[in-house]
Amino acid sequence: LDCVGCHYKQKTGDTFPYASVEQTLQALYPQAITITGGGEPNVYHDRHHTMNSVIGLIRRRFPFMRMGLINNNTYIPEGNWPNYIDWQRTSVDAASRETYLEIKGMDKYFRAYRFTMRR
């Protein structure tokens, strides 16, 4: 996803095409899906489509599929997507603000914590 918040700095510029989401899921027809990324999947964008678009599409086309999200909660996109996921896991790579800053190089520890506690 070429995430600007990726602390692993694996920036490839690749984005999974929105148009391929439904096609891929129809081919695999899984019972459950976990949405994750190499950073913060919540910043997903493909033209005008966002994470809200992806989750909404999955829920409309596959209403009985269980859906989870693994993110780092440094960005929460607009929309009603939280109503459509069954579970969320927040990846927190540090137990303190200082360690978070040292590992990730950005001071977003409390922001991620607040977003996590909101649910």
Side-chain angles (χ1 to χ4, degrees):
L1 296 178
D2 197 24
C3 175
V4 296
C6 180
H7 54 281
Y8 297 111
K9 308 298 182 212
Q10 297 173 351
K11 297 180 185 289
T12 63
D14 295 335
T15 296
F16 192 82
Y18 178 80
S20 298
V21 172
E22 184 175 1
Q23 178 183 3
T24 302
L25 292 176
Q26 282 179 336
L28 299 173
Y29 211 83
Q31 293 181 17
I33 183 172
T34 300
I35 300 170
T36 188
E40 177 57 87
N42 286 346
V43 300
Y44 174 85
H45 65 279
D46 183 20
R47 297 187 194 105
H48 64 277
H49 297 289
T50 64
M51 181 57 73
N52 191 59
S53 308
V54 171
I55 291 175
L57 170 69
I58 294 169
R59 187 52 71 212
R60 283 189 310 278
R61 299 294 293 146
F62 306 94
F64 301 108
M65 184 182 299
R66 301 289 315 249
M67 187 173 7
L69 174 66
I70 300 174
N71 61 14
N72 63 24
N73 265 336
T74 57
Y75 174 74
I76 304 298
E78 297 288 323
N80 57 358
W81 64 270
N83 299 325
Y84 299 131
I85 60 173
D86 297 300
W87 59 269
Q88 176 178 319
R89 186 185 92 195
T90 300
S91 296
V92 179
D93 294 336
S96 72
R97 177 179 177 246
E98 292 76 19
T99 306
Y100 190 96
L101 182 60
E102 181 180 327
I103 292 171
K104 296 190 177 200
M106 54 183 91
D107 192 10
K108 294 185 178 180
Y109 176 79
F110 290 112
R111 180 179 178 159
Y113 179 80
R114 277 192 320 275
F115 284 145
T116 302
M117 301 321 287
R118 208 190 292 176
R119 298 232 353 150

